[in-house]
Amino acid sequence: MAVRLDVRKLTVELPTQTGWVRPVNEVSFTLGEGETLGIVGESGSGKTMLSLALMGLEPPGARRKGEAWLHERDGAADLRGINLIAASPDEMRPLRGREMAMIFQEPMTALNPVMRVGSQIEEAIRVHESGASKNDIHQRAIRALEQAALSEPEQRARQYPHQLSGGLRQRVMIAMALAPGPGILIADEPSTALDVTVQKQILELLAKLRKELQLSLLFITHDLGVVAQVADRIIVMYAGRIVEDGPTAEVLRRPRHPYTEGLLRAAPRLARGNLIPIPGTVPALNALPPGCAFAPRCPYHVTECDAAVPELRPASKNHNARCILVPCAQPTTTN
Ligand SMILES: Nc1ncnc2c1ncn2[C@@H]1O[C@H](COP(=O)(O)OP(=O)(O)O)[C@@H](O)[C@H]1O
Ligand code: SF4
Ligand SMILES: [Mg+2]
């Protein structure tokens, strides 16, 4: 599988009154062509900041470190790709939308309330296709609405966001994101604000579009049950760091980090017995424990956990966890 996105030690730092904090801390992963990578973690673990940093939309004053290589579709055209972290605003502008797009939990924050939804989709296309005719762009906007499974697209196009239900607004958002034809879609909690039935429809739509359009999908959610339905691989984030990553089935069957274990016990669709919430909350970024950030909430905590931040250790092939309970790999002997 060709790699579309190769993120290496991406760090985002924000200035606060007590100094710089790191909502995203040395995060590394790859996203393959046509792959769905789930990023899961409680609210405040850095998921949105990670997506915004990849899109070059981090808050003013933030600084980014590390690399995020965007590779061309079909691999061969430009093997080295472009580093999104080093790209200038002028280099980023054509990539945003055309190569990678993002959808949010609350579509109203991204939609213009006083503009008909059709015109908004047309504008998203026009940014990248200044030479296309008015009629061409209109037809593409209608096709995008159809693709997002909106019935009577001509009529919908003439409506304003507030005239649509939450589910329809999210479909419009998806249509707008996909209209310029990006290969990578970042979906940040796209179904969180919706009721269960509509949530299911949106997840099914995204799964269908991913397949049809060969999208590479970064699917972000706080709900391990949702990610289990859509992702090929999972990354679990805690206090800005990856604490576990691996193939979905394996992480769910045999979580290797106590935090992932806790998320599983608290997930309505996955827990085997009674739902048991994880005690406590995600620590404030300016008051992180000295060693493992999960230590204050961890049932297995021992003194050794406080010595230093544990490294991500290989638990099995393609499966890693940042916990001292994962046995260190045996040193290999060459003679
Ligand atoms: N503009 C900002 N200024 C300072 N801190 C922020 C800002 N935005 C988010 N944060 C902090 O960054 C951390 C990660 O937030 P976020 O990425 O929104 O988490 P998630 O999406 O996983 O809920 C949180 O501790 C949050 O308080
Ligand atoms: S390193 Fe220690 S405190 Fe952290 S998750 Fe593992 S056992 Fe728990
Ligand atoms: Mg978020």
Side-chain angles (χ1 to χ4, degrees), residues 14 16 21 23 41-50 59 188-189 285:
L14 288 170
T16 70
V21 293
E42 285 163 293
S43 178
S45 50
K47 307 179 301 294
T48 295
M49 197 62 75
L50 168 65
D188 187 4
E189 312 241 14
L285 292 171

Side-chain angles (χ1 to χ4, degrees), residues 67-89:
E67 298 167 23
W69 293 94
L70 173 71
H71 294 286
E72 297 281 334
R73 269 171 260 193
D74 304 315
D78 178 2
L79 281 176
R80 212 165 150 264
I82 175 164
N83 180 4
L84 299 172
I85 306 308
S88 68

